[in-house]
Amino acid sequence: MVSWITINTNIVLALGVFVDPPSGQIYVGDQTNNRIVRFDNMSGTNWTTYSTGLNSPAGVFVDLLQRVYVADRNNNRILRFDDMSGTNLTSLAGSPAFSGPFGIFVF
């Protein structure tokens, strides 16, 4: 049996989705609205956004230390921050090295 849940947060173009297995939190790169959206669960009742300086985020990843990585496509950079408030933001920038990154995976 399949059950669908619709969450209305006005996400226009979700180009990166990451599910954090330990917490069950869902991270979405909302490219058109230039933000990352984190849902604490599938009910959609508790969600948080980060958008400071983002321009078409196209990928998101969360490591074992709960650090968030973002492929910030139109800014040609990869971002890493400690939480959804942007604490300890680190940027790896530069074109052509990061020319329009479209996804991210950290191993």
Side-chain angles (χ1 to χ4, degrees):
M1 180 178 179
V2 175
S3 176
W4 295 98
I5 297 173
T6 301
I7 301 171
N8 184 8
T9 59
N10 298 316
I11 291 176
V12 177
L13 184 58
L15 284 184
V17 176
F18 180 84
V19 178
D20 181 37
S23 69
Q25 294 174 321
I26 303 159
Y27 294 77
V28 178
D30 184 4
Q31 186 174 18
T32 303
N33 289 314
N34 298 313
R35 65 185 179 169
I36 300 297
V37 181
R38 183 191 70 203
F39 300 97
D40 288 343
N41 54 50
M42 284 299 292
S43 71
T45 56
N46 192 17
W47 54 282
T48 305
T49 65
Y50 178 82
S51 62
T52 305
L54 295 179
N55 189 350
S56 296
V60 63
F61 183 88
V62 179
D63 69 13
L64 294 175
L65 299 174
Q66 298 300 300
R67 294 179 297 196
V68 180
Y69 296 79
V70 177
D72 192 11
R73 184 177 169 94
N74 287 347
N75 282 326
N76 298 311
R77 64 186 181 170
I78 303 293
L79 298 177
R80 185 191 77 199
F81 42 91
D82 290 347
D83 55 39
M84 289 296 286
S85 68
T87 303
N88 294 323
L89 176 71
T90 302
S91 175
L92 299 172
S95 181
F98 293 110
S99 182
F102 203 79
I104 187 159
F105 179 82
V106 178
F107 180 68

